[in-house]
Amino acid sequence: MVAVASSCASVSSGWPAHRAGAVLTIDLAAIAANYRLLDARTPGAVCAAVVKADAYGLGAAQVAPVLEQAGARHFFVAHVDEGLALRQWVSPAAHITVLHGARPEAVEDCVQAGLRPVLNSLEQISQLQELAKKLGRPLDAALQLDTGMSRFGLSGQDVHTLVQEPHRLDGLTLSLIMSHLACSDTPANPANAAQLQTLRAYAAQLPKAPLSLAASSGIFLGQAFHQNLVRPGAALYGIAPNTYGPNPLASVVKLRAHILQIRHLSKGERVGYGLTWQADGPRRVATIATGYADGFARQGAEKGCAWFKGQRLPVLGRISMDSMTVDISAIPEGQIAADDRVDLLTDTYGVDAVAAAEGTIGYEVLTSLGRRYHRIYKNTQQNI
Ligand SMILES: *Cc1c(COP(=O)(O)O)cnc(C)c1O
């Protein structure tokens, strides 16, 4: 029998579609295409893939193998546990770096699993050094330097200490020196160039190692920011790297929710908790099976909407835990009914648009998308 490569193979997971409130579709080929686009934009650098927080909520088990197939050889997670899980989904040759490094009790687990810790402090350096002594072999590590964000990494004072006391790095192989940009989504911000300059100045005093500074938005600041390795996460999943130009990345997620009920309201009737919304005339409204427990914040509900065949359906009143109510008066009667589905995320109204309504960023919307959707992974097996 000849195997026929399907161009739209998909697998489903999560709750069965007919029992779930909504169906989340994740396009793996779009993630692969986004990886290739970012890789092509950074010709002088290695393009890694950040898959922390379960690949921003999309499922590292499904996403990481696709990224590896698309060419990624370096992966970043936040926690040791995420790295341990990722080990089973990528080939043994894949490099996995743990951004937070390891707590003292977990350093050995981290190293024995072949995960590269990021050393964010002099304490983490000495903990890894002790383990290197105990194991009697040099250990690979990434070193993070704080170039202005005051979040992770060695301070300028710590760098000075390392320069004065280079033996602190004995037994360690620094295979990456990294920092993180605080303002990379605003190219005009002088903090970007200042952070780059600080990274270079610090690195010049330390043992030579490949440098990394840019995450998704940093890639679009230009080649000077690419250094030797770039670390995109959000852009892989379709989030716009900035707000000043069109989003060059392919849309990755779609979400369709069931209509549970439709009702007819008369002038003066009210909707939802607190009865905050009142009909100013006859209206038809639909209650749909997605709420704040599924990642749609109560905040900004008045700007939120669903879509039905391209028609905008404004959210009415407050969003509940498991449902929200939308105005369907614009859809002619008979053309929409209970059990139909409405769109909450589409190619043209994605997580960034929902984020704008909620007053947050696409990252937060994406990583908040709930766990009880029925999930369909599209394009699972063809030429990713
Ligand atoms: C999360 C993270 C990234 C990826 O950031 P995106 O903006 O999602 O591309 C890269 N580097 C570090 C240190 C991070 O914490």
Side-chain angles (χ1 to χ4, degrees), residues 50 52 56 99 144 151 178 180 215-217 231-235 363:
V50 179
K52 62 191 180 187
Y56 290 48
L99 288 167
Q144 177 145 232
R151 187 177 71 162
M178 59 177 280
H180 194 60
S216 296
S217 306
R231 314 182 305 266
Y363 291 64

Side-chain angles (χ1 to χ4, degrees), residues 35-48 214 218-220 222-223 226-230 232:
Y35 175 81
R36 285 199 222 93
L37 182 144
L38 297 166
D39 191 31
R41 289 232 179 184
T42 53
V46 167
C47 187
I219 288 174
F220 295 85
Q223 204 177 347
H226 299 167
Q227 297 295 316
N228 304 106
L229 180 143
V230 293

Side-chain angles (χ1 to χ4, degrees), residues 41-378:
R41 289 232 179 184
T42 53
V46 167
C47 187
V50 179
V51 294
K52 62 191 180 187
D54 201 24
Y56 290 48
L58 299 184
Q62 289 81 9
V63 167
V66 163
L67 287 166
E68 192 171 23
Q69 212 180 329
R73 297 291 172 264
H74 290 259
F75 295 87
F76 284 79
V77 293
H79 301 285
V80 173
D81 265 343
E82 292 180 329
L84 294 174
L86 182 60
R87 265 275 157 254
Q88 54 187 319
W89 302 317
V90 293
S91 71
H95 302 274
I96 301 176
T97 304
V98 180
L99 288 167
H100 290 181
R103 301 185 43 73
E105 310 88 325
V107 180
E108 191 156 359
D109 288 344
C110 178
V111 166
Q112 299 293 18
L115 309 176
R116 176 172 68 176
V118 173
L119 303 173
N120 286 302
S121 65
L122 294 176
E123 290 72 25
Q124 284 188 325
I125 291 174
S126 63
Q127 286 152 11
L128 192 67
Q129 192 179 46
E130 270 185 33
L131 182 61
K133 265 189 221 146
K134 180 179 150 190
L135 298 178
R137 62 180 169 97
L139 296 179
D140 182 23
L143 183 67
Q144 177 145 232
L145 308 178
D146 176 13
T147 55
M149 195 173 173
S150 307
R151 187 177 71 162
F152 290 118
L154 272 63
S155 65
Q157 182 59 46
D158 295 333
V159 172
H160 183 71
T161 303
L162 267 193
V163 173
Q164 298 299 309
E165 302 167 15
H167 62 85
R168 284 173 178 266
L169 292 172
D170 289 354
L172 306 181
T173 310
L174 286 192
S175 53
L176 191 71
I177 293 178
M178 59 177 280
S179 192
H180 194 60
L181 292 166
C183 306
S184 54
D185 55 346
T186 49
N189 196 315
N192 295 318
Q195 286 195 267
L196 174 59
Q197 200 177 4
T198 305
L199 175 64
R200 283 182 173 145
Y202 287 167
Q205 306 170 59
L206 294 168
K208 204 164 166 40
L211 296 185
S212 175
L213 182 59
S216 296
S217 306
I219 288 174
F220 295 85
L221 291 178
Q223 204 177 347
F225 288 85
H226 299 167
Q227 297 295 316
N228 304 106
L229 180 143
V230 293
R231 314 182 305 266
L236 297 171
Y237 313 114
I239 289 177
N242 48 56
T243 50
Y244 54 84
N247 184 354
L249 300 152
S251 157
V252 169
V253 291
K254 288 195 182 71
L255 183 65
R256 300 193 107 181
H258 285 284
I259 295 178
L260 298 169
Q261 284 205 332
I262 288 179
R263 55 207 328 122
H264 296 247
L265 302 187
S266 320
K267 182 175 179 199
E269 287 193 285
R270 291 174 179 268
V271 169
Y273 282 117
L275 304 178
T276 55
W277 187 85
Q278 183 170 32
D280 57 6
R283 297 284 186 107
R284 280 159 45 244
V285 304
T287 304
I288 63 178
T290 298
Y292 61 75
D294 304 295
F296 283 78
R298 283 171 90 247
Q299 177 148 0
E302 68 281 358
K303 291 189 203 144
C305 67
W307 299 85
F308 184 75
K309 296 183 179 160
Q311 176 74 48
R312 189 174 184 278
L313 311 174
V315 171
L316 303 178
R318 291 192 185 149
I319 290 178
S320 299
M321 186 185 291
D322 316 299
S323 67
M324 63 177 97
T325 302
V326 297
D327 189 347
I328 57 165
S329 307
I331 313 286
E333 214 158 336
Q335 289 187 23
I336 189 166
D339 265 352
D340 279 346
R341 288 174 181 184
V342 296
D343 296 308
L344 289 171
L345 294 169
T346 70
D347 284 346
T348 52
Y349 188 85
V351 289
D352 288 314
V354 171
E358 292 178 359
T360 180
I361 55 172
Y363 291 64
E364 191 176 359
V365 173
L366 188 64
T367 54
S368 302
L369 290 178
R371 301 283 169 251
R372 55 183 177 174
Y373 297 130
H374 174 73
R375 290 179 172 222
I376 295 176
Y377 287 92
K378 233 176 89 181

